[in-house]
Amino acid sequence: MPIKKKVGDVWRRVGTITKRKVDGKTEVRGSIYSYHEARQRFINLIRDFYRKNEQDFSSPEEVFKIFVVAALTGKILPVARLIEKTYSKGSFRKLDEASTSGKIRITVPH
């Protein structure tokens, strides 16, 4: 069951509550996601990549997997290619320069 928080006039999912039976007793656990704002921006980014490249992906989860593999293996070339294809040639380099200089500001539509 999701835990929701009202942000402006929109309810956002910020955690989960789970319930299960253990030895005949009901156990309830809750967790709040860390870095909620960053998570929401990342989700919006994944959706944007999917919308702009629907012909290449069957779902937003498939786009997400590209980032997971890059994070786990360090092989970021597929991410770079996706960024270049989606936002134009040279955009990955610009993103790298902005992030290393500390002057990064990414705006993704909701």
Side-chain angles (χ1 to χ4, degrees):
M1 170 184 335
I3 300 172
K4 295 186 176 186
K5 172 184 173 186
K6 193 165 189 176
V7 179
D9 58 347
V10 178
W11 286 92
R12 304 240 185 236
R13 185 176 175 161
V14 295
T16 59
I17 295 176
T18 57
K19 187 169 74 169
R20 67 181 187 154
K21 292 268 186 187
V22 177
D23 297 326
K25 296 181 183 178
T26 301
E27 183 181 275
V28 178
R29 291 186 180 186
S31 65
I32 302 295
Y33 301 140
S34 299
Y35 306 103
H36 175 69
E37 295 298 322
R39 287 171 54 88
Q40 193 58 50
R41 284 192 304 269
F42 183 63
I43 290 167
N44 290 340
L45 183 65
I46 295 297
R47 288 177 181 158
D48 192 49
F49 280 125
Y50 175 68
R51 275 195 304 270
K52 291 179 178 177
N53 298 284
E54 277 188 79
Q55 69 281 1
D56 299 327
F57 300 103
S58 60
S59 69
E61 288 77 20
E62 195 175 343
V63 177
F64 177 73
K65 286 179 186 177
I66 292 173
F67 285 87
V68 170
V69 169
L72 295 175
T73 65
K75 296 178 181 179
I76 63 169
L77 189 56
V79 170
R81 286 182 178 143
L82 179 60
I83 291 170
E84 295 275 312
K85 179 182 179 190
T86 306
Y87 298 118
S88 77
K89 190 169 177 79
S91 55
F92 184 74
R93 182 181 42 81
K94 289 177 188 174
L95 179 62
D96 176 54
E97 289 170 357
S99 66
T100 55
S101 70
K103 298 177 181 177
I104 189 165
R105 179 75 180 148
I106 299 174
T107 305
V108 178
H110 294 288

